[in-house]
Amino acid sequence: MPLGNLTSQFFANVYLNELDQFVKHKLKAKYYIRYVDDFVILHPDKDVLLKYHDDINQFLRENLDIELHPDKTKIIRLKENLNFLGVRIFYHHKLLKKSNLKKMRSKCKALKEKYQKNGIDYDTIYDFFEGWFAYAKNADTYKLRKKLTEKIEKDFPDNISIKEIDRYLKIEKSFNNNLNLLQNQIKL
């Protein structure tokens, strides 16, 4: 089952709940963050982190029949950047991983080509960018998102998504309802 699949994410969360309980209640780690199969533990003492590493790896092997990835498990200082969930986290800012930017640009190009061959509609492109923008907002990407929005408007002029139309109609309906209420109050 692909890791991006929602079902596999759900089962990873259920399966690794035992790890959460172990880290929180047995190791008593104060700063523990996990999302699906990625996790971070923060602690000022490197020796404590090394002990956590060994204890967690032993727990995973004995209880869940898995182990920490030897190349992806690192103990680093916070002044270095931390790669977590596709974001490079620095002390005062966050950036998207370069490989994820490259994948996004490649996907944009492929979507544009499919669209030009009438292989997909604008809603498919809109859905992709809506999801990607939601991900990108987790980092310091305001200028990048603004530049991409301008490029989308240039590459797909005069296109509007069904979602955009629905939002407009909801706003218009709400406005009209409020206007009617106001008019009725004025009549009283």
Side-chain angles (χ1 to χ4, degrees), residues 157-187:
D158 304 322
N159 281 289
I160 189 162
S161 164
I162 297 295
K163 287 182 181 180
E164 290 173 294
I165 293 169
D166 286 345
R167 282 188 197 119
Y168 171 77
L169 292 174
K170 285 178 186 174
I171 291 168
E172 183 182 41
K173 182 179 179 182
S174 176
F175 175 78
N176 288 335
N177 288 341
N178 289 334
L179 185 60
N180 289 336
L181 284 172
L182 186 59
Q183 288 171 339
N184 289 335
Q185 287 179 350
I186 291 172
K187 288 178 185 176

Side-chain angles (χ1 to χ4, degrees), residues 40-51:
V40 173
I41 299 175
L42 303 174
H43 197 283
D45 188 337
K46 183 177 180 179
D47 291 333
V48 171
L49 290 171
L50 288 168
K51 176 94 169 85

Side-chain angles (χ1 to χ4, degrees), residues 11-25:
F11 285 120
N13 281 329
V14 171
Y15 192 67
L16 292 176
N17 178 58
E18 288 185 49
L19 171 65
D20 298 339
Q21 301 308 315
F22 175 76
V23 172
K24 289 191 292 187
H25 299 292

Side-chain angles (χ1 to χ4, degrees), residues 8 29 31 65 69 73 80 83 94 97 103-104 113 127 135 146 165 171-172 174-175 180:
S8 62
Y31 301 104
D65 200 29
H69 193 290
T73 306
E80 299 173 29
N83 288 321
K94 298 175 284 188
K97 284 177 59 178
K103 286 178 197 171
M104 182 273 300
E113 289 171 2
D127 288 344
Y135 153 72
K146 185 177 179 187
I165 293 169
I171 291 168
E172 183 182 41
S174 176
F175 175 78
N180 289 336

Side-chain angles (χ1 to χ4, degrees), residues 77-122:
R77 295 180 171 276
L78 280 181
K79 67 181 181 181
E80 299 173 29
N81 76 319
L82 166 71
N83 288 321
F84 188 61
L85 304 177
V87 178
R88 294 179 297 154
I89 304 169
F90 297 87
Y91 195 76
H92 292 290
H93 66 285
K94 298 175 284 188
L95 300 173
L96 300 179
K97 284 177 59 178
K98 290 180 182 178
S99 61
N100 289 353
L101 288 172
K102 188 177 178 181
K103 286 178 197 171
M104 182 273 300
R105 287 187 178 106
S106 176
K107 177 82 173 180
C108 289
K109 185 178 177 185
L111 286 171
K112 185 177 176 182
E113 289 171 2
K114 268 187 165 179
Y115 177 80
Q116 289 170 338
K117 295 176 184 174
N118 294 323
I120 58 172
D121 60 10
Y122 179 71

